[in-house]
Amino acid sequence: MSLSNFEKPAPVHSRIRIPQRYNRQPIISRLVSRYNLTVNITAASLTSDSKDDGWFDLELSGNPPELTYSLSYLQGLGVDLMQLAIANQIKSKNTQPFPNKKSNLTRLESAPIKLKQEPIYNAIAQTNRVRLQLCILKNYYHKPIISDLVSHYMLTVNITNAMLNPDIQDDGWFDLDLWGRPQQLRASLNYLEKLELPLWLVSIPDGN
């Protein structure tokens, strides 16, 4: 039988609640790097300085054994898996809507950066860490951008704040803490710039 006759496993759709104590942990980044998954964030609500838990709606794609291991990993951390549907065969009775709490994520008002500016380019070339704010435009909601930063550019990506409404009526916003080699960071930021996604450098911390 031809390999083309085999269908890819259907994605796992899960709503997860991340305890506040894990808000500074790159949990979603680990799902990509450890379990070779493609993770698309379809909705998110996370505020780093809040006592509330973070929320993410995820679409997880990968080999069934790795998907199983990844879900076990989340449960081991105490991450709640809600409204889980595997291959559309498991239907949750929980109809609670995604929390629409007001986020205090501050959108930066300055102009987005241009990486070709010499001071910025030189600074990124000498660091292993970059903090930035990224705008996810409405037409990119279905593209696993954070996942791509991990799998294609071998970065560790920590989401420190997030605001992504599930109704795709507004642009989404992420505060990201990126870790990697300077050339990896530069290549990943070039990738985001080619997608024409507005981004703002929050800081390039001294010391690596």
Side-chain angles (χ1 to χ4, degrees):
M1 182 180 293
S2 172
L3 292 177
S4 60
N5 293 330
F6 289 97
E7 295 183 359
K8 293 182 179 180
V12 170
H13 296 272
S14 180
R15 178 172 298 173
I16 68 173
R17 181 171 63 231
I18 298 178
Q20 194 275 339
R21 65 183 180 275
Y22 287 116
N23 280 1
R24 292 288 182 177
Q25 296 294 320
I27 292 175
I28 293 176
S29 181
R30 289 170 184 164
L31 294 178
V32 180
S33 61
R34 291 185 182 181
Y35 303 101
N36 198 30
L37 302 183
T38 298
V39 180
N40 188 29
I41 303 170
T42 59
S45 179
L46 174 68
T47 305
S48 61
D49 57 357
S50 171
K51 294 182 180 180
D52 296 330
D53 295 340
W55 297 78
F56 290 90
D57 271 2
L58 303 179
E59 183 180 83
L60 308 173
S61 301
N63 293 328
E66 297 294 343
L67 285 168
T68 301
Y69 296 145
S70 71
L71 297 177
S72 297
Y73 160 72
L74 291 175
Q75 290 177 320
L77 291 178
V79 174
D80 292 336
L81 301 175
M82 306 172 64
Q83 296 193 1
L84 180 64
I86 300 178
N88 295 321
Q89 296 175 0
I90 302 176
K91 300 296 183 181
S92 172
K93 296 180 181 179
N94 183 356
T95 58
Q96 177 186 7
F98 193 87
N100 190 24
K101 65 182 181 181
K102 183 178 180 182
S103 173
N104 59 1
L105 174 61
T106 302
R107 302 182 187 182
L108 302 181
E109 299 297 334
S110 58
I113 67 166
K114 297 296 183 183
L115 297 177
K116 293 181 181 179
Q117 296 173 352
E118 186 172 351
I120 294 175
Y121 188 89
N122 291 339
I124 295 174
Q126 301 177 43
T127 187
N128 290 327
R129 183 183 182 190
V130 171
R131 293 174 180 167
L132 60 87
Q133 186 170 100
L134 177 67
C135 176
I136 304 295
L137 302 177
K138 290 180 288 186
N139 54 318
Y140 280 101
Y141 265 39
H142 300 294
K143 186 174 179 61
I145 293 171
I146 306 300
S147 185
D148 287 347
L149 294 179
V150 180
S151 61
H152 294 175
Y153 300 98
M154 309 305 291
L155 299 181
T156 297
V157 180
N158 188 25
I159 303 171
T160 57
N161 287 286
M163 182 172 58
L164 190 68
N165 293 324
D167 55 10
I168 318 182
Q169 296 298 315
D170 301 301
D171 296 334
W173 298 80
F174 287 102
D175 280 356
L176 302 178
D177 199 348
L178 308 180
W179 296 78
R181 296 179 179 178
Q183 59 269 33
Q184 294 169 326
L185 289 170
R186 194 163 58 243
S188 68
L189 296 179
N190 283 329
Y191 160 71
L192 295 175
E193 193 171 62
K194 287 180 180 178
L195 293 179
E196 298 184 347
L197 294 175
L199 60 92
W200 292 256
L201 276 181
V202 176
S203 68
I204 301 177
D206 294 329
N208 300 321

